Amino acid sequence: MNVPSDASGPLPWPRWAYVPGETDGVDADYETLDLAKALVPPAFRGYVPARHPALRYGLALNDRGYFWESQEVLEAVWAAAPQGGRERILLRACIHIANANLRLRMQRLHSAARLFGDAQAELRALNSRKAAARGDGFVESFPIPALTALLQAKLGRPQLSKADWITLGAIVRSQWVP
């Protein structure tokens, strides 16, 4: 895997993608997710670094189709993000997107559209908040306008399909300088 970990080398991919109601009684691969969650500090000071391995892993999980797992890791990062910080808002948007992607996989298209709308609302809230220059912070490094435009395009379709899932890394790779 290409997502480095500061602790013990590359983090492994989960052994399977958990889809609630579709995995024949098999639970999620918590053991693998716990490796990433263990990298998250109790609290980030000031901002969430864009290069934090748990953050990068959570985004990569989404892009690999591990939507439920992505939510789990991103929620751990969100919980440690500074209260009232802009990173928490962007992380909530990313969590909504991973959740919407999961709903698309489950063919719950209206639920997915609602979650994409929730993500778009988070990005609007983020744009209304004053930015503080932090250098290598997640919010300052992430191409928010590109994500906003992509969400708007998805929501402008008459109906979403299973193929409409959003890869966060594609946005990042096209515009985010790591």
Side-chain angles (χ1 to χ4, degrees):
M1 154 167 188
N2 343 356
V3 179
S5 156
D6 290 338
S8 62
L11 292 166
W13 296 116
R15 292 173 285 179
W16 58 87
Y18 178 66
V19 180
E22 294 182 13
T23 51
D24 296 328
V26 177
D27 211 358
D29 185 3
Y30 289 107
E31 188 177 306
T32 300
L33 297 179
D34 287 344
L35 296 172
K37 290 179 181 182
L39 299 173
V40 179
F44 287 101
R45 292 178 172 237
Y47 64 96
V48 176
R51 292 185 169 271
H52 193 276
L55 170 63
R56 293 171 62 101
Y57 184 67
L59 297 174
L61 283 169
N62 176 77
D63 295 353
R64 287 274 186 128
Y66 296 101
F67 307 127
W68 186 88
E69 293 79 1
S70 174
Q71 269 182 256
E72 287 291 305
V73 173
L74 292 175
E75 284 173 358
V77 175
W78 173 85
Q83 293 289 327
R86 296 179 79 228
E87 277 85 8
R88 284 179 76 92
I89 299 170
L90 180 55
L91 284 162
R92 273 195 311 263
C94 292
I95 292 165
H96 286 316
I97 289 167
N99 195 357
N101 289 341
L102 177 62
R103 298 297 186 253
L104 288 174
R105 175 175 285 157
M106 297 167 70
Q107 296 188 1
R108 295 184 180 164
L109 306 180
H110 294 292
S111 177
R114 180 186 53 80
L115 287 161
F116 281 154
D118 291 347
Q120 190 176 45
E122 294 291 352
L123 295 177
R124 276 194 302 272
L126 179 62
N127 285 333
S128 71
R129 301 280 297 275
K130 184 174 173 124
R134 299 231 198 287
D136 67 342
F138 179 45
V139 170
E140 289 76 25
S141 302
F142 195 89
I144 295 164
L147 181 56
T148 301
L150 182 57
L151 282 167
Q152 189 168 359
K154 298 286 183 184
L155 290 169
R157 295 185 177 170
Q159 183 173 351
L160 293 173
S161 75
K162 197 173 180 179
D164 281 319
W165 62 289
I166 292 177
T167 58
L168 297 167
I171 298 166
V172 170
R173 281 187 298 280
S174 70
Q175 300 189 21
W176 189 14
V177 180

